[in-house]
Amino acid sequence: MIPRAPKGTDDLLPPASERWRRLLRVFDNLSVRYGYGLSMTPFFEATELFSRGVGEVTEIVEKQMYTFEDKGGRSLTLRPEATASVVRAYLQSGASGVLKVAYSGPMFRYEETQAGRRRQFYQVGVEYLGEPSADADVEVIELGYRFFQELGIDDVVVLLNSIGDPEDRIAYRGRLVAFLMERADRLSPDARRRIKGNPLRVLDSKADADVVAEAPAPGNHLGEAATEHFAAVQAGLKRRGVEYLLVPRLVRGLDYYNRTVFEYESRSYSAAQASLGAGGRYDPLAETLGGPPTPAVGFALGVDRIVLAMPEGDEAPPLDVFVAIVDQARRGDALDLVAKLRGEGLAADVDLGERSLKAQFRLADRRRARGVAVVGDEWDDGLVTVRRMDEGEETQVAIEEVVAWARNR
Ligand code: HAM
């Protein structure tokens, strides 16, 4: 039997992978335009990074981590997310001041699998470290918003909230715990267990939606500084034309956040995985990991979900030139021509299968080649027969003119 990919993982092959390619290109281009450098961090980290960074009493750390011991007896974990890693890398490098980075890559969470909810899934994200200004929140949220627009997903709305500063949450937490305790008999066992450890997480519990609907909301219990910050974020988003919706009970599944939290949701993509991406401000994280105070904000977007929401029609990009070989005696010349075209930055390909000329033209058609250059006997006279596929008409051009001909469409 042929081995199969593990449950909750996916293979990506053409033509489906072309959408991914387009998505990654758009993200790369956008993050360069917004001034984000590239960060790459290990796919596995010391387990402690996530239990401390993401939080002991979170779904991710309690239930979803791929944790193993290596041959040296270290406890390692396949990264369930990248924010903790980026902050670790920043602290470890001894850097200070502002760092703006973008990343993309696989993350690992042991989930109940379904469409758009995978055990190995792919995120693109940005992190903006070292900047406390609300304008950094606005820049990050706007970047994600533009990303969806440039992909052609134009029904994305930003769900927005502020969960305040840690000191605001002490008072709020007390009120929430009292509220939940009074209604403990109506709560799910998971929610009851969380009242003590992490009561904010109850707000996120689908099973407890009717109790949660009446619960005090973190967004309504902000201190002065957080209120001011949140007002500035909203004003900035309005000025940038970013559509957002205030959701006072929006909380996140990771413990490192303070103040601004947000999610990108597609209005038409109704599955349980409507959250195409999420992020927020996480000023406390660097200190949690033992570093100096480092304000920060960022997001991560779920590529597996986003490609499901992307408009159809992402085929492989067309070839500029397909080089056809009349007679295999000309094979070397044809390969020289292909190499030259590629060297000049054109997309060129050739059939190495010794097929008939007719079959090669069919192949060129399938590859959506804009032109075919036929290498035949006229090569000896310094000529190549060329055909534009839309017009069908053939002419001959000098070998050194083929590049110009291919460009000049
Ligand atoms: P998160 O909310 O855990 O945040 O994940 C962000 C996004 O990743 C989700 O909105 C979703 O689109 C996608 N995602 C999460 N789990 C899965 C899964 N099992 N299968 C497919 N997609 C999934 C974070 O990861 C934070 N690090 C975001 C962040 C960056 N905050 C600040 N900076």
Side-chain angles (χ1 to χ4, degrees), residues 45-363:
E45 296 266 10
T47 301
E48 194 202 355
L49 173 66
F50 303 114
S51 48
R52 271 169 66 189
V54 173
E56 288 285 2
V57 195
T58 58
E59 189 94 349
I60 292 176
V61 172
E62 283 180 341
K63 298 187 185 161
Q64 299 184 330
M65 297 213 296
Y66 281 93
T67 297
F68 60 97
E69 200 171 279
D70 76 0
K71 292 193 194 316
R74 303 167 189 88
S75 178
L76 299 172
T77 293
L78 297 184
R79 63 178 185 190
E81 63 109 45
T83 308
S85 298
V86 170
V87 173
R88 190 229 4 98
Y90 172 86
L91 296 174
Q92 186 178 328
S93 75
S96 58
V98 166
L99 179 73
K100 291 170 65 171
V101 290
Y103 54 86
S104 67
M107 310 292 158
F108 308 86
R109 297 182 194 175
Y110 191 81
E111 299 253 24
E112 289 307 320
T113 60
Q114 45 182 297
R117 183 174 294 277
R118 318 300 296 150
R119 290 184 176 168
Q120 176 175 318
F121 60 100
Y122 205 94
Q123 285 184 342
V124 294
V126 301
E127 311 294 352
Y128 191 153
L129 306 185
E131 181 51 69
S133 164
D135 286 332
D137 308 35
V138 174
E139 177 180 294
V140 163
I141 296 171
E142 188 217 346
L143 197 171
Y145 188 74
R146 298 277 171 258
F147 170 70
F148 289 111
Q149 287 185 328
E150 293 199 6
L151 281 183
I153 307 175
D154 45 21
D155 67 339
V156 167
V157 65
V158 180
L159 309 184
L160 184 69
N161 193 22
S162 172
I163 57 168
D165 286 314
E167 54 274 22
D168 306 337
R169 276 212 297 284
I170 297 170
Y172 166 71
R173 201 182 143 117
R175 298 179 67 148
L176 180 63
V177 168
F179 173 91
L180 294 173
M181 294 287 262
E182 273 169 37
R183 292 157 186 81
D185 51 331
R186 287 166 59 199
L187 292 173
S188 66
D190 254 358
R192 254 188 313 239
R193 196 171 47 79
R194 290 228 162 93
I195 295 180
K196 284 272 151 63
N198 196 346
L200 258 79
R201 296 290 308 136
V202 179
L203 297 182
D204 218 12
S205 162
K206 303 256 175 337
D208 302 284
D210 30 323
V211 176
V212 166
E214 301 153 17
N220 298 329
H221 294 79
L222 304 182
E224 210 174 303
T227 303
E228 214 172 275
H229 185 92
F230 197 38
V233 171
Q234 292 180 61
L237 290 177
K238 281 200 189 109
R239 193 152 171 173
R240 295 274 79 77
V242 176
E243 244 191 289
Y244 66 88
L245 203 68
L246 289 179
V247 182
R249 286 187 188 79
L250 181 72
V251 288
R252 311 277 5 274
L254 304 93
D255 276 356
Y256 47 60
Y257 294 109
N258 69 324
R259 299 196 176 180
T260 318
V261 292
F262 57 92
E263 268 181 46
Y264 298 98
E265 211 173 82
S266 161
R267 274 182 284 226
S268 60
Y269 188 56
S270 60
Q273 294 77 42
S275 172
L276 299 184
R281 183 159 274 287
Y282 53 94
D283 300 339
L285 179 55
E287 283 172 278
T288 306
L289 298 178
T294 310
V297 57
F299 67 62
L301 313 178
V303 177
D304 303 72
R305 294 179 188 182
I306 297 169
V307 289
L308 296 175
M310 272 167 76
E312 297 278 337
D314 280 308
E315 297 172 57
L319 282 180
D320 293 310
V321 187
F322 190 94
V323 175
I325 309 172
V326 175
D327 173 342
Q328 288 303 318
R330 300 276 166 198
R331 189 179 175 103
D333 299 329
L335 295 184
D336 287 347
L337 181 60
V338 171
K340 181 167 167 190
L341 288 161
R342 289 171 174 166
E344 293 288 339
L346 292 156
D349 212 352
V350 62
D351 168 48
L352 301 178
E354 306 195 8
R355 289 179 180 76
S356 70
L357 196 57
K358 206 166 145 200
Q360 292 180 66
F361 267 94
R362 272 203 302 272
L363 209 53

